[in-house]
Amino acid sequence: MSTLTILRRHAQNPDPASLPPSVLLDYTDSYLTIFDAYPKATFHLLVLPRPKDGSLTLSELSGLRSLLSCQKKDAKKILDELAAQAEKTKELVREEMVQRYGYSWDIWVGFHAVPSMEHIHLHVISSDLCSPKLKNKKHYNSFHPKLGFFLHLEEVLSWFEEEPKYFATKKRLKPSEYEPLLKESLVCWRCDRILPNMPTLKNHLQEEWDKEAKRAAEKKRKRESGPGQADSFAGNAKKQHVEGVEEI
DNA sequence: GTTCTAGAAC
DNA sequence: GTTCTAGAAC
């Protein structure tokens, strides 16, 4: 029971600074960013709006669906502010990526079309999807960036620019239209390969991420071997020389 | 959302 | 026989 309302409790906490650093990353009067307790990727954070006087009520903030059923301009304001907070969060994550791994990779920002926990929360999640807590098909499909269950914030914002009728349809977020997506086959979001089960998918995702790390290392080497020379004979010769030295 | 575990799938 | 999934949780 309490696990389903933990986010609401955090959002209502009058003093976020009292939260342990293992929970809290950042906060303002209006928002807080916390670490997901069961991260489905190397980096996985949640941005929550804090209910405050003169703004939307707790029940209007209960989820994306309830937010979108508010006055359009009120909903848009919250989403714009969430977007700004998410940008700050992304920057903090990128810095941590570089510090820990020497490079940074994509970070996705979006909502689950049908959430499982009370209180609207924006996911900020690194695209590796490598984590011991990612255990089943539902976990994976709920973050697959092209499947449709994970609603990128940019997409949700784009609904506001569409015809009112389209917006009215989208904002319903009918569970019956989204929940079946969670049961679809396991498809690698990078290469579209179908994997037969979770252990195989997890190995595959790890390999894909290892490849990305290699590409990043190669890019860095090229950058450091001298701008504009990487593809020239002189550049290659120089690179080989440097590599030779490094191997000794 | 998670944990647990029966029985399906291999 | 072991691995893996997916539904119940009083």
Side-chain angles (χ1 to χ4, degrees):
Chain A
M1 180 59 182
S2 72
T3 59
L4 298 168
T5 54
I6 183 83
L7 299 183
R8 184 196 272 160
R9 292 215 309 280
H10 286 323
Q12 288 182 285
N13 188 325
D15 181 22
S18 67
L19 292 167
S22 58
V23 173
L24 183 73
L25 177 72
D26 185 27
Y27 75 100
T28 70
D29 282 350
S30 312
Y31 294 89
L32 70 169
T33 302
I34 61 173
F35 293 90
D36 192 294
Y38 298 89
K40 304 304 190 296
T42 304
F43 299 92
H44 186 182
L45 296 120
L46 306 174
V47 185
L48 322 180
R50 304 174 66 193
K52 52 177 183 176
D53 296 340
S55 185
L56 297 179
T57 65
L58 197 60
S59 91
E60 287 168 324
L61 293 174
S62 114
L64 180 60
R65 193 182 139 95
S66 61
L67 180 69
L68 293 178
S69 74
C70 295
Q71 291 236 0
K72 213 171 165 182
K73 65 167 172 33
D74 293 336
K76 183 67 160 50
K77 183 167 179 257
I78 296 282
L79 290 178
D80 285 340
E81 290 172 4
L82 274 172
Q85 191 73 11
E87 270 312 311
K88 280 167 59 188
T89 303
K90 273 174 83 169
E91 197 43 47
L92 291 173
V93 170
R94 279 195 212 98
E95 285 168 15
E96 187 68 17
M97 284 173 163
V98 170
Q99 204 169 329
R100 271 202 242 167
Y101 298 91
Y103 70 108
S104 67
W105 58 101
D106 277 356
I107 301 163
W108 300 324
V109 174
F111 299 99
H112 280 161
V114 184
S116 300
M117 289 198 284
E118 281 299 325
H119 204 80
I120 186 166
H121 50 286
L122 182 61
H123 293 273
V124 176
I125 184 166
S126 58
S127 61
D128 50 275
L129 298 183
C130 291
S131 163
K133 301 292 185 193
L134 189 128
K135 292 178 176 174
N136 59 42
K137 181 182 272 190
K138 185 174 173 179
H139 291 155
Y140 177 70
N141 280 344
S142 74
F143 288 104
H144 190 299
K146 296 182 286 187
L147 188 63
F149 189 91
F150 185 79
L151 302 172
H152 296 270
L153 177 59
E154 287 304 319
E155 192 200 330
V156 175
L157 287 171
S158 78
W159 298 346
F160 286 75
E161 311 304 321
E162 303 282 349
E163 295 294 320
K165 210 166 178 182
Y166 183 86
F167 182 80
T169 305
K170 282 294 182 183
K171 78 173 191 183
R172 273 180 240 148
L173 291 171
K174 287 178 69 180
S176 61
E177 284 173 14
Y178 288 98
E179 277 166 350
L181 296 170
L182 297 174
K183 296 181 184 288
E184 290 202 359
S185 314
L186 298 170
V187 178
C188 173
W189 68 269
R190 294 183 199 257
C191 71
D192 291 333
R193 201 173 126 192
I194 299 173
L195 288 305
N197 54 44
M198 281 304 292
T200 318
L201 173 73
K202 286 171 68 70
N203 285 336
H204 178 76
L205 290 173
Q206 183 67 52
E207 284 167 12
E208 289 279 14
W209 188 33
D210 291 345
K211 271 193 248 169
E212 177 153 14
K214 255 187 190 162
R215 282 196 296 273
E218 184 60 28
K219 222 170 133 187
K220 194 176 178 185
R221 199 179 308 153
K222 277 194 178 168
R223 218 171 30 238
E224 286 169 1
S225 76
Q229 299 223 345
D231 291 329
S232 70
F233 282 114
N236 284 340
K238 185 181 171 192
K239 204 178 97 193
Q240 278 168 18
H241 176 69
V242 171
E243 277 173 0
V245 170
E246 277 173 354
E247 274 164 23
I248 295 166

